[in-house]
Amino acid sequence: MRRSPRSNGRKRRRRARSSRLRLPPPSAPRCSVDMMRCMTGFRNFHIEGELAGLALGPVLRLLLPGESWSKVHRLIENRHVEINGNLCVDRGRRLNEGDVVKLWAEPRNAPPREDQLRIRYLDRDVVIVEKPAGVTSTRHSEERDWSARRRQLQPTLDEMLARVVGRRLRATSAGKARGRRAPPLRVRAVHRLDRETSGLMIFALSAEAEHRLTAMFRAHRVERRYWAVVRGVIGPQTIESYLVRDRGDGRRGSTDDPSKGRKAVTHIAVREVLGDYTWIECRLETGRTHQIRIHLSEAGHPLCGEKVYYRPRFGAAPPDQSGAVRHALHAFRLALDHPITGERLEFEMPLPDDMRRLIDRLRAAAR
């Protein structure tokens, strides 16, 4: 088929723009996918200078000069690329200054589908769901203006849950009474789990439930317990510190000045020592951002598979040869009084398959 002059003109302009861009300096990480297979399994690319503002596809084409456009597109579509730790399959995603693009030799796990969500409790005010690893709890503010197509490429838990719960409610007599043109259901987040963390979450479905649940979390009236696998052998203890957004190295962490941080308390119990690793239970007394991950890392026992908080405040962390495919953290228990009815709600979720296999493997290696 013969291309139109307009199509050819757009193609020439794209090529001209790419040719005007300067490639990253020699010190920038550049590699082929085949070379990565012989190294660590991934490479990081830090976006800066003229690369900022460009789409993911053209940027990877510049950083991987030995690869064709079709190969670059396949890498993105087949889940080899993460941006700032989040899977990205959208080659048109614009990159910002300071973004970190991680290119994996092996594909990442596919995002969970709506039909894979397991709802444990549902009424007109709240829903409790088992969050799988690999999906963000809510959409980042920078992504809220995305088109419907881009949102479908990278779904979030609250968006999937709104569709699933909406269908269930419409299937009931109360839902049918609303009519087919009822406004889309709003799922209201009152707490969050990190993208790689699995476990139980509760969302509000009404404004009153959202208000009361927020107050309950603030007053520490919601019981949350986690299972984690950490590097090294750790004993039972309580970790208390004051957390700040930047501890001095660009990461969240603890400060020695209580007036500058927010109090965070984590209670740790040991379930099993697995050779050079430990399976532990963590109970949150407070619920600060990344609290468990920070406390364990600063204690010298970061999570297996941890990619951000892997250095203690002083000294070096034990090496991670666990082979964990993500940070090994699972919110297995959620207990609270129903915010509207007062009914006691208590739920537990078994270990997901990846963490169960990790523990079995470490247990076998320790024998």
Side-chain angles (χ1 to χ4, degrees), residues 283-295:
R283 179 174 64 84
L284 290 180
E285 187 172 314
T286 56
R288 312 303 181 196
T289 301
H290 300 169
Q291 175 177 319
I292 292 176
R293 298 167 63 191
I294 292 170
H295 275 172

Side-chain angles (χ1 to χ4, degrees), residues 134-207:
V135 61
T136 53
S137 301
T138 59
R139 191 162 297 284
H140 192 276
S141 58
E142 295 180 355
E143 302 173 351
R144 288 174 186 161
D145 293 332
W146 282 11
S147 66
R149 175 187 170 276
R150 293 187 71 185
R151 287 171 178 259
Q152 290 171 358
L153 289 174
Q154 291 181 254
T156 59
L157 181 61
D158 62 336
E159 292 172 352
M160 290 192 294
L161 199 55
R163 293 188 287 269
V164 172
V165 171
R167 287 194 294 267
R168 288 199 181 188
L169 292 180
R170 284 193 294 271
T172 66
S173 56
K176 291 177 182 177
R178 297 181 182 180
R180 293 186 177 182
R181 296 191 178 183
L185 179 70
R186 181 182 173 190
V187 173
R188 307 158 188 258
V190 291
H191 71 125
R192 289 166 177 78
L193 292 178
D194 297 333
R195 180 181 180 274
E196 292 191 355
T197 302
S198 55
L200 292 163
M201 290 191 67
I202 184 169
F203 290 85
L205 300 179
S206 67

Side-chain angles (χ1 to χ4, degrees), residues 239-281:
I239 301 177
E240 179 178 328
S241 72
Y242 291 84
L243 299 183
V244 292
R245 288 183 176 271
D246 187 345
R247 65 182 184 183
D249 60 358
R251 290 182 172 88
R252 294 178 183 269
S254 299
T255 177
D256 295 325
D257 185 351
S259 66
K260 295 181 179 179
R262 303 180 70 188
K263 185 177 179 180
V265 182
T266 305
H267 303 282
I268 297 173
V270 175
R271 286 187 59 90
E272 185 178 355
V273 176
L274 305 165
D276 295 328
Y277 302 88
T278 312
W279 176 15
I280 62 174
E281 178 180 315

Side-chain angles (χ1 to χ4, degrees), residues 8 74 92 152 174 342 345 358:
N8 290 333
R74 287 198 301 272
Q152 290 171 358
L345 303 176
L358 171 66

